[in-house]
Amino acid sequence: MANLEVELGALKLKNPVLAASGTFGFGEEYSSLIDLEKLGAIMVKGLTLKPRQGNPAPRITETPAGMLNAIGLQNPGLDAFLSRELPRLIDSHAAVIVNIAGDTEEDYITLARELSGVPGIVALELNLSCPNVKQGGILFGTSKMIMGRLITKVRGICPIPLIVKLSPNVTDITELAHAAEESGADIISLINTLKGMVIDIKSKRPLLGNITGGLSGPAIRPVAVRMVYDVYRSVKIPLIGMGGIMNLDDALQFFMAGARAVAVGAGNFVDPCAMPRLIDDLRSYLEKEGLQSVDEIVGSAQI
Amino acid sequence: MANLEVELGALKLKNPVLAASGTFGFGEEYSSLIDLEKLGAIMVKGLTLKPRQGNPAPRITETPAGMLNAIGLQNPGLDAFLSRELPRLIDSHAAVIVNIAGDTEEDYITLARELSGVPGIVALELNLSCPNVKQGGILFGTSKMIMGRLITKVRGICPIPLIVKLSPNVTDITELAHAAEESGADIISLINTLKGMVIDIKSKRPLLGNITGGLSGPAIRPVAVRMVYDVYRSVKIPLIGMGGIMNLDDALQFFMAGARAVAVGAGNFVDPCAMPRLIDDLRSYLEKEGLQSVDEIVGSAQI
Amino acid sequence: MLSKARVLEIRKVSSNCYFLLLEEARIARESLPGQFLHIRIGESLTPFLRRPFSIAGTSPENGTLKILFQVMGEGTRILSMVQKEDRLDCLGPLGSGFSTQKAHNTSVLLAGGIGAAPLMFLSEALLREQKKVIFYYGASSLEQIIPVRSFFPSEAEVYLATEDGSAGYRGFVTEAFQEGLNNGLKPAEIFACGPKPMLQKLAEKNRDWKFPMQISLEERMACGIGACQGCAVTVQEKGETRCGLVCRDGPVFNWDEVVW
Amino acid sequence: MLSKARVLEIRKVSSNCYFLLLEEARIARESLPGQFLHIRIGESLTPFLRRPFSIAGTSPENGTLKILFQVMGEGTRILSMVQKEDRLDCLGPLGSGFSTQKAHNTSVLLAGGIGAAPLMFLSEALLREQKKVIFYYGASSLEQIIPVRSFFPSEAEVYLATEDGSAGYRGFVTEAFQEGLNNGLKPAEIFACGPKPMLQKLAEKNRDWKFPMQISLEERMACGIGACQGCAVTVQEKGETRCGLVCRDGPVFNWDEVVW
Ligand SMILES: Cc1cc2nc3c(=O)[nH]c(=O)nc-3n(C[C@H](O)[C@H](O)[C@H](O)COP(=O)(O)OP(=O)(O)OC[C@H]3O[C@@H](n4cnc5c(N)ncnc54)[C@H](O)[C@@H]3O)c2cc1C
Ligand SMILES: Cc1cc2nc3c(=O)[nH]c(=O)nc-3n(C[C@H](O)[C@H](O)[C@H](O)COP(=O)(O)OP(=O)(O)OC[C@H]3O[C@@H](n4cnc5c(N)ncnc54)[C@H](O)[C@@H]3O)c2cc1C
Ligand SMILES: Cc1cc2nc3c(=O)[nH]c(=O)nc-3n(C[C@H](O)[C@H](O)[C@H](O)COP(=O)(O)O)c2cc1C
Ligand SMILES: Cc1cc2nc3c(=O)[nH]c(=O)nc-3n(C[C@H](O)[C@H](O)[C@H](O)COP(=O)(O)O)c2cc1C
Ligand code: FES
Ligand code: FES
């Protein structure tokens, strides 16, 4: 039987199929549908220091071959996560990656300090799509300088693998990937959602309560594959690819572009069994192709 | 009967429905299918000074709710355009907007000089998605500075309305829109295609001969609507919106977001009659809603 | 929770509503009135997301269940073209159901349009509990009315209201119900499902009436199981507001929980 | 150029090929062998683009035409589910057709797989011109073979080749044809359609043979009418290479025009 284990630097995963942050809650919701232990890891819903209420409704709408979401990081906050959500996740034997977000550098640092010692948490993922309130609202993820400084600081106090999640809403993602690597990121995950909006032509108003939202799903897959392909050439650290993955064929594009692991996001909503099936299909694919491990196809489409 | 005429500054169009550059050739190909005179204008295939062969095959592939193209600006060059294509367009009574592209500032300036006096050409559209060979290949459309300087120069020698077409592959499109306005653009058109790629998992190679291509079609519509919405707030000059428009409902989103005219691109491939039908449907819509002109809904979704 | 249900019957029941009879033993057995199924429409990427539909009745003995749906957009248009023997990918039953009081009493069911669907299922449960069921059902016109008599247990009293007066009371179903109250109707509890303005109106009125009242809400859904936080509705509990999820905390809420 | 063709018949003719009989008088009247239709698959946004299919025959008197297609991916899978009386949105006939010589002579038609489709149409025209038609048809195995006899005029001589030898000659159709040549076959002209490797092989061989030969190419298409420059193929004319368009300059090319 082919071995699905992958090593992303110091992060060892039983297989390279992860649940993308924000699309899998804290795992519990899906536990009656699938065996959480089977997944490579669960990247839990974006966590902030204090609980957040999130954005006004409507928060989601469908778009051609995709969806927009403007959840607004609704989450129960650090304390409730540690006392209520994490124990349940650990009980289910899932590997947990915590996606953290904040409005200031201090938020990130506090979260990283509180979380990185906790047993059961295998890595942290920095969600940089939040506006930096101290720097006039510039997103952490769109400025090399602001991002680099944040990563350096978090790196300093975080003994576990640090994943930096890149936003696609930038002119040159390779530049930011490079800055993330230089500043000490162990792994890069990409892509987060593309900024988009839908207008309700009946009411002549933006449909989402938050006006704009993040576009995800198969619609953005070509953009995501391209970014993984480009970033693979500019950094040496491993990549986690995501954006519109629904099945094995989609995932293979990401591996071949250069991702060492993939995450399924909106695809979970359409098919709650997408991840376990992808894991099985990936194993069959490796066996059929006579491959020992996924590593043999990582970046194979690079020319 | 509702009046479909629109004025985009000095550019008066009989209606606000245009053919997007590169998707409608030089009009001739569609002339047996639709009456070219009926269209607001035809933005012809990107024109360069010298003829271009374009990229190796395959040049297109389908993606979820969209397509990728990497035509590579194949075109017959300025001379053949003036002697062969333009006369036919003029015979068909179409309003012609010429989309021009170059590798150097001089290319753009020469094209603008040669084209802007020619009867039958109602405006020029600057396609800024080409790499600036003199500036180390930075795209004209991704740097405020390079773009601003180019526009200022072209503006100086171009007596007819000047449209600047913005690329969506940037961190902050409003900044570039603002720079375009400051430098003398009369109209902004947006969006061009998003950079993307597809990997052929059988051959483990990028599918397109050019490796990457431009993503268009309904998949990108939410991104396009958002950019029109944002740019509308940051400039005073009129906008031509495009990106995934297939029908009236799609076009209305763009008008309400702030576009005074819209262009249909990939939609023409799927339904060659999309534009004439959109024009008829728009007229019926205005009448049903008791509106005098499209101006009454332009930007109506802004809040 | 994920099953392929077999289509036994699909039938048009009004100008824009369809009746769907599905066979899936587990869902038929487990479903409670007020719960819903999250159904995948075709296998194409457009429409992308699943669509939620209330369960309109079950027959656990036969392993079958009913759905009533209205054609609204692309998804329901495609659903209306399924054929006998097709398989529908159904996630569910999901959400919390209606809870009914222990005592024998008079229950009033108020439905606007396709909101009738979950109340049909509920009426069967109430009748089994030996309650008197009075059903007020409103639609915009006669042709939009589902032939309730063929879906509703015959023991239920049914009152129709149409906005154009083409059948039953002329006006809104809330007004028809108000008339009933004026004529001495004494509901012990109310269950309502319909368009938001109707429910909002009822909640307003109920500040005077003060009947026990449960309402079933709709919101756009992605996951349907509480994972994405997409279907948020602001709810209040003891003066404090928080974010509730229609798919998990609802779709049935107490009338005074919802912040409109 | 844009018509809604009525589906008169759809039928499976091999393990993965379907026959489609359409009614559309204008297309039936105007089509030439070698031309194709650009067909919209359903009304959903996925699949997004139209799909090109060769016209496999027409009956101008009845206003009907034939298509033969193979299920390759999503688009053809959906097309295989159309039903009698459905309407298909067809753009065409498009492209240039085969041109045939004036003289009476022996024409050899070489098809690989679904490449047989345009050659069926062509064979009818050739037979009307009183020519002798010899058809070499290859597929990977028996079950992939379309029952040519029921689609091909009985006057045509037919030779089969399968890669696994399950029917006819064991090997590639090009090899079967070579054997024919070895046995004295003297074609006056050749028409070929099939997978790229087969056509490339033929073009190579023809540098020795030097038969007049036309081949029909495939390329991914968006517009189908020469507007998008998407279906480029490099062609040469008098030593100069330029970019040709399969949809407009082709799909039929002279064998020595194409730069492989
Ligand atoms: C818990 C629940 C139970 C439901 N039960 C039923 C039922 O039994 N029968 C029935 O016919 N319908 C029911 N609905 C509504 C049904 O889900 C929508 O009508 C359907 O999803 C529309 O899909 P569409 O693709 O046809 O329309 P779309 O093209 O997606 O939308 C058409 C219109 O419907 C509105 N809409 C879309 N999705 C929703 C949604 N989730 N909630 C509210 N409005 C929406 C949109 O604003 C739009 O105006 C229920 C909804 C919920 C949340
Ligand atoms: C001029 C012309 C005439 C044709 N005539 C016929 C015919 O008579 N019968 C028939 O069955 N097929 C014909 N084809 C091929 C047919 O168009 C493709 O098989 C079809 O578009 C595949 O669609 P899909 O959605 O099923 O597959 P997709 O999912 O789009 O692709 C499946 C596979 O088919 C390949 N493919 C897709 N589109 C094309 C294309 N345009 N050209 C070549 N390869 C492609 C892809 O590389 C992929 O591997 C013709 C193609 C052309 C260009
Ligand atoms: C409903 C929803 C909520 C999301 N929330 C988060 C989040 O909290 N943190 C984060 O980093 N990404 C979040 N994302 C982005 C996803 O993790 C993922 O990067 C993106 O959706 C692209 O993958 P997909 O196309 O497979 O969905 C969210 C996406 C969706 C659809
Ligand atoms: C095949 C193709 C060729 C294109 N060529 C050009 C071009 O030459 N110049 C240009 O400015 N834009 C070009 N575009 C971009 C379109 O004009 C348009 O901006 C983009 O496709 C978004 O619109 P759509 O989604 O309606 O296609 C091209 C698009 C396509 C699909
Ligand atoms: S639909 Fe995802 S939380 Fe309710
Ligand atoms: S498909 Fe557009 S030019 Fe051939």
Side-chain angles (χ1 to χ4, degrees):
Chain A
M1 209 154 92
N3 183 359
L4 288 183
E5 279 172 40
V6 287
E7 297 189 6
L8 293 94
L11 178 62
K12 292 184 183 34
L13 299 174
K14 63 173 86 84
N15 67 61
V17 178
L18 287 66
S21 175
T23 65
F24 210 68
F26 294 105
E28 200 207 350
E29 298 81 2
Y30 281 94
S31 59
S32 62
L33 286 158
I34 61 182
D35 177 8
L36 302 185
E37 192 178 352
K38 185 168 183 174
L39 307 178
I42 297 174
M43 299 159 116
V44 298
K45 173 77 202 151
L47 189 70
T48 52
L49 216 46
K50 300 269 161 271
R52 285 221 198 174
Q53 292 254 351
N55 289 325
R59 291 175 170 190
I60 46 176
T61 185
E62 193 174 79
T63 67
M67 63 177 288
L68 278 178
N69 89 79
I71 308 299
L73 280 178
Q74 177 178 342
N75 80 90
L78 177 65
D79 293 344
F81 171 73
L82 288 175
S83 62
R84 200 178 58 208
E85 310 297 348
L86 187 61
R88 286 190 232 179
L89 275 164
I90 292 175
D91 280 353
S92 71
H93 303 282
V96 180
I97 294 174
V98 186
N99 178 279
I100 62 177
D103 296 324
T104 61
E105 284 186 353
E106 293 70 47
D107 285 359
Y108 282 98
I109 292 166
T110 314
L111 281 163
R113 180 172 300 122
E114 298 293 320
L115 289 164
S116 59
V118 180
I121 299 179
V122 300
L124 294 187
E125 182 181 44
L126 295 190
N127 175 353
L128 302 176
S129 335
C130 305
N132 178 338
V133 297
K134 292 218 178 136
Q135 302 265 347
I138 299 178
L139 304 188
F140 279 103
T142 57
S143 150
K144 267 197 299 194
M145 206 266 297
I146 297 175
M147 185 183 86
R149 207 174 60 188
L150 174 65
I151 295 172
T152 309
K153 291 198 179 161
V154 173
R155 172 73 297 173
I157 52 119
C158 173
I160 61 173
L162 184 62
I163 305 169
V164 170
K165 184 161 181 179
L166 296 183
S167 159
N169 302 295
V170 295
T171 307
D172 183 1
I173 197 165
T174 66
E175 207 179 57
L176 288 144
H178 192 70
E181 179 178 43
E182 296 271 280
S183 318
D186 299 306
I187 300 164
I188 286 172
S189 63
L190 72 171
I191 62 176
N192 213 317
T193 54
L194 281 165
K195 205 173 153 199
M197 79 185 288
V198 165
I199 287 171
D200 179 350
I201 57 171
K202 292 209 193 83
S203 69
K204 302 196 177 74
R205 285 282 166 274
L207 193 148
L208 294 177
N210 186 51
I211 301 178
T212 66
L215 184 63
S216 63
I220 68 166
R221 196 194 309 133
V223 174
V225 171
R226 188 269 294 183
M227 289 184 165
V228 169
Y229 185 89
D230 285 351
V231 167
Y232 182 80
R233 306 159 83 84
S234 18
V235 300
K236 290 191 192 62
I237 53 179
L239 310 181
I240 302 173
M242 68 193 89
I245 296 176
M246 306 289 293
N247 55 37
L248 175 68
D249 285 4
D250 300 344
L252 289 177
Q253 286 200 53
F254 282 84
F255 288 124
M256 292 174 183
R260 182 156 296 173
V262 296
V264 177
N268 292 312
F269 306 150
V270 177
D271 179 3
C273 296
M275 287 190 294
R277 213 195 26 254
L278 172 50
I279 294 166
D280 294 338
D281 289 349
L282 184 60
R283 179 171 288 117
S284 314
Y285 173 82
L286 293 180
E287 281 162 10
K288 214 179 63 206
E289 299 277 311
L291 301 170
Q292 298 302 312
S293 105
V294 125
D295 286 336
E296 295 181 51
I297 52 166
V298 173
S300 59
Q302 292 283 341
I303 53 176
Chain B
M1 210 153 93
N3 183 0
L4 288 183
E5 279 172 38
V6 287
E7 296 187 8
L8 292 94
L11 178 62
K12 290 184 184 37
L13 299 173
K14 61 173 89 85
N15 68 63
V17 178
L18 286 65
S21 176
T23 65
F24 209 69
F26 294 105
E28 200 206 349
E29 297 80 5
Y30 280 94
S31 59
S32 61
L33 286 158
I34 61 181
D35 177 8
L36 302 185
E37 192 177 353
K38 187 170 182 174
L39 307 178
I42 296 174
M43 297 158 117
V44 297
K45 173 78 203 151
L47 189 70
T48 52
L49 215 45
K50 300 267 161 271
R52 285 221 199 174
Q53 292 254 353
N55 289 325
R59 292 178 169 187
I60 46 178
T61 186
E62 193 174 79
T63 67
M67 63 177 288
L68 279 178
N69 89 80
I71 308 298
L73 280 178
Q74 177 179 344
N75 80 93
L78 177 65
D79 294 343
F81 171 71
L82 287 176
S83 62
R84 201 178 59 210
E85 310 296 347
L86 186 61
R88 287 191 231 175
L89 277 164
I90 292 177
D91 280 353
S92 71
H93 303 282
V96 180
I97 294 173
V98 185
N99 179 277
I100 62 176
D103 296 324
T104 61
E105 284 186 354
E106 292 72 45
D107 285 359
Y108 282 98
I109 292 166
T110 314
L111 281 162
R113 183 175 297 123
E114 297 292 320
L115 289 164
S116 60
V118 181
I121 299 179
V122 299
L124 294 187
E125 183 182 43
L126 295 189
N127 175 353
L128 302 176
S129 334
C130 305
N132 179 339
V133 295
K134 292 220 178 132
Q135 303 264 346
I138 300 177
L139 304 189
F140 280 103
T142 57
S143 149
K144 262 196 301 193
M145 207 266 298
I146 297 175
M147 183 181 86
R149 208 176 57 186
L150 175 65
I151 296 172
T152 308
K153 290 199 180 162
V154 174
R155 172 75 294 175
I157 53 117
C158 173
I160 61 173
L162 185 63
I163 305 168
V164 170
K165 185 161 180 179
L166 295 183
S167 158
N169 303 296
V170 295
T171 307
D172 183 359
I173 197 167
T174 65
E175 208 178 57
L176 287 144
H178 193 69
E181 179 178 43
E182 296 269 283
S183 318
D186 299 306
I187 300 165
I188 286 171
S189 61
L190 71 174
I191 61 176
N192 213 318
T193 53
L194 281 164
K195 206 173 154 199
M197 81 186 287
V198 165
I199 287 170
D200 179 349
I201 58 171
K202 292 206 194 85
S203 68
K204 301 197 178 73
R205 284 284 165 273
L207 193 147
L208 294 177
N210 186 52
I211 302 179
T212 65
L215 183 63
S216 63
I220 69 167
R221 196 194 308 134
V223 175
V225 170
R226 188 270 293 182
M227 289 186 165
V228 169
Y229 185 90
D230 285 351
V231 167
Y232 183 80
R233 307 159 84 84
S234 18
V235 299
K236 288 190 193 65
I237 53 178
L239 310 181
I240 302 172
M242 68 193 90
I245 297 177
M246 305 291 290
N247 55 37
L248 175 69
D249 285 4
D250 300 344
L252 288 176
Q253 286 199 52
F254 281 84
F255 289 123
M256 291 173 184
R260 182 156 297 172
V262 297
V264 176
N268 291 313
F269 306 150
V270 177
D271 180 3
C273 296
M275 288 191 291
R277 212 192 29 253
L278 171 50
I279 293 166
D280 294 338
D281 289 350
L282 184 59
R283 179 172 285 119
S284 312
Y285 173 82
L286 293 180
E287 280 163 9
K288 217 181 60 209
E289 298 279 309
L291 301 170
Q292 298 302 312
S293 105
V294 124
D295 286 336
E296 294 181 48
I297 53 167
V298 173
S300 60
Q302 292 282 341
I303 52 176
Chain C
M1 284 243 282
L2 202 55
S3 307
K4 294 264 182 193
R6 192 155 67 101
V7 176
L8 296 183
E9 188 185 342
I10 171 137
R11 182 155 49 90
K12 197 166 184 171
V13 293
S14 77
S15 66
N16 65 345
C17 286
Y18 287 79
F19 165 77
L20 200 54
L21 185 67
L22 301 176
E23 184 186 66
E24 214 297 301
R26 182 189 55 79
I27 297 176
R29 199 171 54 236
E30 295 176 1
S31 301
L32 302 172
Q35 288 191 303
F36 67 96
L37 295 180
H38 211 23
I39 302 184
R40 181 156 180 198
I41 311 284
E43 296 186 0
S44 162
L45 294 175
T46 44
F48 184 60
L49 297 171
R50 288 170 181 267
R51 299 288 193 266
F53 296 96
S54 299
I55 299 156
T58 60
S59 166
E61 321 80 63
N62 302 321
T64 61
L65 57 135
K66 300 180 218 167
I67 298 282
L68 272 157
F69 70 94
Q70 185 175 4
V71 173
M72 292 289 292
E74 185 66 359
T76 43
R77 193 186 61 78
I78 296 174
L79 189 62
S80 74
M81 300 188 310
V82 298
Q83 296 179 344
K84 244 171 116 155
E85 296 304 320
D86 283 354
R87 301 269 167 174
L88 281 181
D89 177 346
C90 297
L91 180 62
L94 302 172
S96 62
F98 293 101
S99 57
T100 55
Q101 297 179 355
K102 287 282 161 293
H104 294 189
N105 57 30
T106 301
S107 303
V108 169
L109 279 50
L110 287 164
I114 197 68
L119 300 182
M120 292 184 181
F121 191 10
L122 176 66
S123 69
E124 292 168 13
L126 292 169
L127 287 166
R128 261 197 309 275
E129 294 172 13
Q130 312 284 335
K131 285 168 186 164
K132 177 169 181 194
V133 173
I134 304 178
F135 182 51
Y136 282 91
Y137 171 41
S140 45
S141 69
L142 177 60
E143 55 174 13
Q144 306 242 324
I145 288 218
I146 302 160
V148 235
R149 268 292 159 226
S150 59
F151 292 107
F152 243 74
S154 54
E155 301 91 321
E157 252 175 61
V158 175
Y159 296 95
L160 297 183
T162 51
E163 287 170 39
D164 64 359
S166 50
Y169 181 91
R170 174 195 296 270
F172 290 116
V173 65
T174 43
E175 293 161 1
F177 171 61
Q178 176 70 65
E179 204 176 68
L181 290 178
N182 297 348
N183 293 339
L185 172 67
K186 295 243 178 317
E189 51 183 344
I190 299 180
F191 304 91
C193 185
K196 212 166 192 171
M198 164 190 151
L199 299 176
Q200 196 166 353
K201 182 65 163 274
L202 275 176
E204 245 164 57
K205 290 266 188 188
N206 207 35
R207 276 192 231 137
D208 293 334
W209 297 336
K210 298 204 168 54
F211 296 122
M213 178 159 85
Q214 291 164 53
I215 58 180
S216 177
L217 293 184
E218 296 193 359
E219 193 47 75
R220 284 158 198 272
M221 292 184 179
C223 70
I225 61 175
C228 74
Q229 320 276 318
C231 60
V233 55
T234 313
V235 294
Q236 60 190 359
E237 226 174 348
K238 306 185 195 104
E240 267 192 44
T241 69
R242 61 176 184 87
C243 177
L245 298 178
V246 171
C247 73
R248 192 190 56 197
D249 307 328
V252 178
F253 291 90
N254 252 319
W255 70 280
D256 56 357
E257 252 182 305
V258 180
V259 182
W260 297 95
Chain D
M1 282 244 283
L2 202 57
S3 307
K4 294 264 182 194
R6 194 155 67 101
V7 176
L8 295 182
E9 189 185 341
I10 172 139
R11 182 155 50 89
K12 198 167 181 171
V13 293
S14 78
S15 67
N16 64 346
C17 286
Y18 288 80
F19 165 76
L20 200 54
L21 184 67
L22 302 176
E23 185 185 65
E24 214 295 304
R26 183 189 55 77
I27 298 177
R29 201 171 51 236
E30 296 176 1
S31 301
L32 301 172
Q35 290 192 301
F36 67 94
L37 294 180
H38 211 24
I39 302 184
R40 182 157 180 195
I41 311 283
E43 297 187 357
S44 161
L45 295 175
T46 43
F48 183 60
L49 296 172
R50 290 170 180 266
R51 300 288 193 266
F53 297 97
S54 299
I55 299 156
T58 60
S59 166
E61 322 79 63
N62 301 323
T64 61
L65 58 136
K66 300 181 218 164
I67 298 281
L68 272 157
F69 70 94
Q70 185 174 6
V71 173
M72 292 289 292
E74 185 67 359
T76 42
R77 195 186 60 79
I78 296 174
L79 189 62
S80 74
M81 300 188 310
V82 298
Q83 295 178 347
K84 243 169 116 159
E85 296 304 319
D86 283 354
R87 300 270 167 171
L88 281 181
D89 178 346
C90 297
L91 180 61
L94 301 173
S96 61
F98 292 102
S99 57
T100 55
Q101 298 179 352
K102 287 281 161 290
H104 293 189
N105 58 29
T106 300
S107 303
V108 168
L109 279 50
L110 287 165
I114 196 68
L119 299 182
M120 294 183 180
F121 190 10
L122 176 67
S123 69
E124 292 169 13
L126 291 169
L127 288 166
R128 260 198 311 276
E129 294 173 11
Q130 312 283 335
K131 287 171 184 160
K132 178 168 181 193
V133 173
I134 303 179
F135 182 51
Y136 281 91
Y137 170 41
S140 45
S141 70
L142 178 62
E143 53 175 14
Q144 306 240 327
I145 289 219
I146 303 160
V148 235
R149 271 290 158 227
S150 59
F151 291 107
F152 243 73
S154 53
E155 299 92 320
E157 253 176 59
V158 175
Y159 296 94
L160 296 183
T162 52
E163 288 169 39
D164 64 358
S166 50
Y169 180 91
R170 176 196 294 268
F172 290 116
V173 65
T174 44
E175 294 160 1
F177 171 60
Q178 176 73 66
E179 206 175 65
L181 290 177
N182 298 347
N183 294 339
L185 173 65
K186 296 243 177 319
E189 50 181 346
I190 299 179
F191 304 90
C193 185
K196 215 168 188 165
M198 163 189 152
L199 299 177
Q200 197 166 352
K201 183 65 164 275
L202 276 177
E204 247 165 56
K205 291 265 188 189
N206 207 36
R207 275 191 230 140
D208 294 333
W209 299 335
K210 296 205 169 54
F211 296 121
M213 179 160 83
Q214 291 164 54
I215 58 180
S216 177
L217 294 183
E218 295 194 359
E219 194 45 78
R220 285 156 197 271
M221 293 185 179
C223 70
I225 59 172
C228 75
Q229 320 275 319
C231 59
V233 56
T234 312
V235 293
Q236 59 190 0
E237 227 176 345
K238 306 183 195 105
E240 269 193 42
T241 71
R242 61 177 184 84
C243 177
L245 299 178
V246 171
C247 72
R248 193 190 55 195
D249 307 328
V252 178
F253 291 90
N254 252 318
W255 71 278
D256 57 356
E257 254 182 306
V258 180
V259 182
W260 296 95

